[in-house]
Amino acid sequence: MHDRSALAQLRIDRFLRERLTANIHRTTAPLDIELWEAPGEPVSFAEASAADFAPFAVGRAWGRPWGTTWLRVRGHVPSSWRDTDGSLPAGTRAELLVDLGFTSGQVGFQSEAMVWTTDGRPLRGIAPFNNAVTEAIDADGRIDVFIEAASNPDVGSLFTFEPTPLGDPATAGTDHIYRLRQVDVALRDLEVAALRADTVALHGLAQQLDAASPRRAEILAGLEAMIDAVDPDDVSGTAAAGRAVLAPLLARPAHASAHTLHAVAHAHIDSAWLWPVRETARKVARTFSNVLSLMDEDPDYVFASSSAQQFAWVKQYYPDLYARIVERVREGRFIPVGSMWVESDTNMPGGEALARQFVAGKGFFQREFGIDTPEVWLPDSFGYTGALPQIAKAAGARWFLTQKISWNETNRMPHHTFQWEGIDGTRLFTHFPPVDKYNSDVSSADLAHAERNYADKGRGTVSLLPYGFGDGGGGPTREMTAAIARAASLEGSPRTVHSTPERFFTTAEAEYPAPEVWAGELYLEFHRGTYTSQLPTKQGNRRSEHLLREAELWATTAAVRVGTPYPAQRLARIWQTVLLQQFHDILPGSSIAWVHRDAERNYAAVARELEEIIADSLAAIAGTGPHLLAVNAAPHERSGAPALGAAAAALPASVTPRVDEDGWVLDNGIVRARIDGRGLVTSLVDLASGREAVAPGGALGLPQLHRDTPTQWDAWDIDAHYRHHVTDLDGAASIAVEADVIVVTRTFGASQLVERIRLDEGSRVLSFDLDIDWHEQQKLLKFAFPLDVHTHTAASEIQFGHIERPIHTNTSWDAARFETVAHRWVRVAEPDFGVAIVNDSTYGHDITRQARDGGGTVTTARLSLVRGALFPDPTQDQGRHHLHVGVAVGADVQTAVREGYRANLPVRTIEADVTEIAPLVSVDHEGVVVEAVKLAEDGSGDVVVRLYEALGRRAAARVSLGFDAAKLTQTDLLEREIEPTSITAADATHADLALRPFEIVTLRVPRA
């Protein structure tokens, strides 16, 4: 038989395009349009509907960048469309069609709109593939609605990564950027639409089948027969005949061994990215309204949505819409998922902040819906900390879902369903959808790829298919649900069923009870620049986390000791701001300029309010008087003040530099540093052991400038080829001694770096305070520490512990891990000697090995200080920055932990009536760290203490209370009492704990 399959496919493609798609609407009619353009930021419906509208028409330009334009649309269904009894023809439906002037760019990255009733109820969102509104037409065929149209510019949805002024309203311009293309009432032909769905399903399946497959030949022959059965001059009248031809092909059931896809409707909406936070709230409302509309049409359709923050926006700004959501949640069709306040980055938030993502997120879902969400839903974050399994389990989560690791540049994850083991040994049942995307359109290509790609064949038979247009694209469509209906059981295709995350995970766990185990972090071999981009945003986050710790500690102390009202609502609001800005495109620095300027303003406001809470709380506790107190919120004693308390101030002085033959010496009897005429540290000796920390021929504190031109994804990526170009900034424009500080000034390009080097009495940390006036673009500034340490691994602080990573390149996995994240410290060590590097605002590091002069190897640890990417914010990091870095010689892990906290929680001094503030809580084991002291979320007044084992060892510790307590219990992160697995003994004054390495423990203490 002659092979005519290529011609058949061309024929089917054209028939789909010219006959079926073109005839889904039998006819259209224009409507009357009026327009009003909001002068600035978006306004309320009440303000817009009362404005003076002017006549407008299709074909005219509208919408300045980031503007809002309101349309008033009126008309009626033409009487000529109706049958003699006044009804529309059988198998048809009238709907409003709107084309705002959609571009060829991606959905979610251009103009969008919300349709409102005249009494102010949101009806439905408008987006390129979600632009039909049935609800706009009343029972009598009248149309009278408002359309709130957002003229959001397309900030690079084609991802050519070119610098653009569109990410900032100040530079985006004012010219209109869209042209209204259609505002019509249309008559939808339901039978033609169904025939098109049948054809798309079968034609797509045929394209996925082997060329020699009998099933493929059968489908192509059937589709050609269908085309012959449909009259091109009367598609509507003959569509049923075409469907009858295809019915037997669609009735052929899936193979018994076919993979099963649990299709979960979803709309991944970034809480900010190439649009500001304020626009995200509108994107969410448009999408959710579409979801509710589709639920009215399709009774099988369910929808899962993450991020408590997004629900909170709808509750605040769209109460009518929220009430409808609540009803669907009660029915089990609109499903809150994810457990977190936002889909957070997990690499850079601190331990307590990551815990609060769950406290805030789960707390919201429980209060609003009575739901204890069982899963963590993070499809798009840029890698996942090894601390997350324990944090998630401690919050009551059972399952974890992500997608992003499929973006790895080098290595393919060996599993799609597995147990993920965290740094403490906690395991979390985890799934990567093998469709390799979180916004499937349920195409045959996606279904086939998911089945072929699934890595755990032979053990598991199910995977999850997240589908729907995200980021304001309107969510799932009726075409997608139609595709699911046809792929429910179809020969040659995986089975596809409407499902929920919980149904999928319980099914997967039941059939695969002992999956493979992946231990440690889920490192994304991509987007490594996110540890460094947008330094002010990262500094704001780090500072906010530590100020929140202080504010909660002293507010709790004031409440317990003197009865000061605890500022619970203020702290909750501040936490929500900080948690929102840990979203995975804000904290990583991958958003437009507008987002990061907003974030910086928010962090400044957070700092002002938290400083006020701290000052008021300390004044309530200690009064104002003649005694100078050192107030210590850190978990370790310092400056004579106990951990979490205060005592008479004994602040350390700095060592006076001594002039040497080639520079200066700093010597405090613990360490001795030599700084040469270049302003570089050529020697750093631990005097007790005599060990030299500086690698032979090297110098510590060497700034190095690299070319930084990623292959793609500018703000996101640092590519390995940056190492091909490096300039050592070892020349000093000037060196001076100011008091006890050596001040080194370096200039390069259009920028300047001022280093202030000092050594305090009693300290083993040589400190570098860095002031950078940065005006470079497509450059990366690193700060290098070549150390005379031979090691195969480096320890990096992460949440509630640390992780040991190989620094060799034995495998492709090791080689791909060339830029890594750390929090307050990194440490490299031999068995009897270590060096730690601490920081107050840096996350990106690279740690490598080199051959040593004289034999062996040395280790170079470098901090990535600042970048100058061009997309999506061409002004990224331009301007002045201040950072702190310290190098601790002869440091064990305990020293690294202590000095990391010291760098981020400076001692405060206050004038007080009292000579001390006794701690509310104390611990007798230095490796057991108190991370939070606060009052309970439920307003009971109970004191909550969160602590963890920080050294990676088993620990027996006693927690003692400095107040009258009724009892002491162990809880989960949500402060719900659990079986006391870590408490070996307890009474009203103390608890004895036995902790696993890196174990987190939360204690709840009602006051007597």
Side-chain angles (χ1 to χ4, degrees), residues 278-292:
R278 67 89 158 146
E279 191 58 26
T280 309
R282 300 204 294 177
K283 285 175 178 282
V284 170
R286 296 171 196 133
T287 300
F288 285 7
S289 65
N290 287 358
V291 166
L292 295 171

Side-chain angles (χ1 to χ4, degrees), residues 634-763:
H636 309 98
E637 178 276 334
R638 66 172 70 153
S639 303
L644 315 180
L651 301 179
S654 296
V655 173
T656 301
R658 186 177 77 244
V659 177
D660 191 34
E661 59 186 29
D662 185 34
W664 297 265
V665 174
L666 295 170
D667 189 333
N668 64 0
I670 300 172
V671 298
R672 181 176 61 240
R674 294 185 183 277
I675 295 89
D676 70 6
R678 301 170 298 170
L680 299 175
V681 180
T682 56
S683 175
L684 183 61
V685 177
D686 172 29
L687 295 176
S689 65
R691 277 291 301 264
E692 171 65 68
V694 181
L700 306 187
L702 172 65
Q704 294 181 307
L705 192 66
H706 292 268
R707 182 190 297 179
D708 185 16
T709 53
T711 305
Q712 53 184 337
W713 299 103
D714 289 26
W716 292 258
D717 287 353
I718 288 177
D719 290 347
H721 55 71
Y722 84 88
R723 291 176 173 167
H724 298 171
H725 304 273
V726 58
T727 300
D728 290 343
L729 303 178
D730 53 3
S734 67
I735 303 179
V737 176
E738 298 177 2
D740 296 330
V741 178
I742 299 170
V743 181
V744 183
T745 301
R746 308 183 195 278
T747 59
F748 54 96
S751 303
Q752 183 181 77
L753 169 63
V754 178
E755 306 168 31
R756 291 174 171 82
I757 307 172
R758 74 175 195 280
L759 178 66
D760 290 342
E761 294 285 359
S763 174

Side-chain angles (χ1 to χ4, degrees), residues 858-893:
V858 297
T859 301
T860 299
R862 300 196 303 169
L863 294 79
S864 299
L865 301 183
V866 67
R867 303 180 65 208
L870 296 180
F871 180 84
D873 174 12
T875 66
Q876 178 188 303
D877 287 332
Q878 303 298 296
R880 296 180 181 274
H881 312 283
H882 177 81
L883 307 89
H884 172 78
V885 177
V887 54
V889 64
D892 56 13
V893 174

Side-chain angles (χ1 to χ4, degrees), residues 1 8 12 216-226 228 245 249:
M1 182 176 175
I12 297 162
R216 178 174 181 271
E218 177 189 53
I219 290 172
L220 292 179
L223 287 170
E224 287 209 275
M226 177 273 294
D228 291 338
V245 172
L249 296 173

Side-chain angles (χ1 to χ4, degrees), residues 345 348 382 529-531 533 538 583-590 715:
D345 177 78
M348 289 172 286
F382 309 143
T530 57
Y531 313 146
S533 291
K538 290 174 169 56
F583 177 72
H584 66 253
D585 275 307
I586 302 179
L587 182 53
S590 47

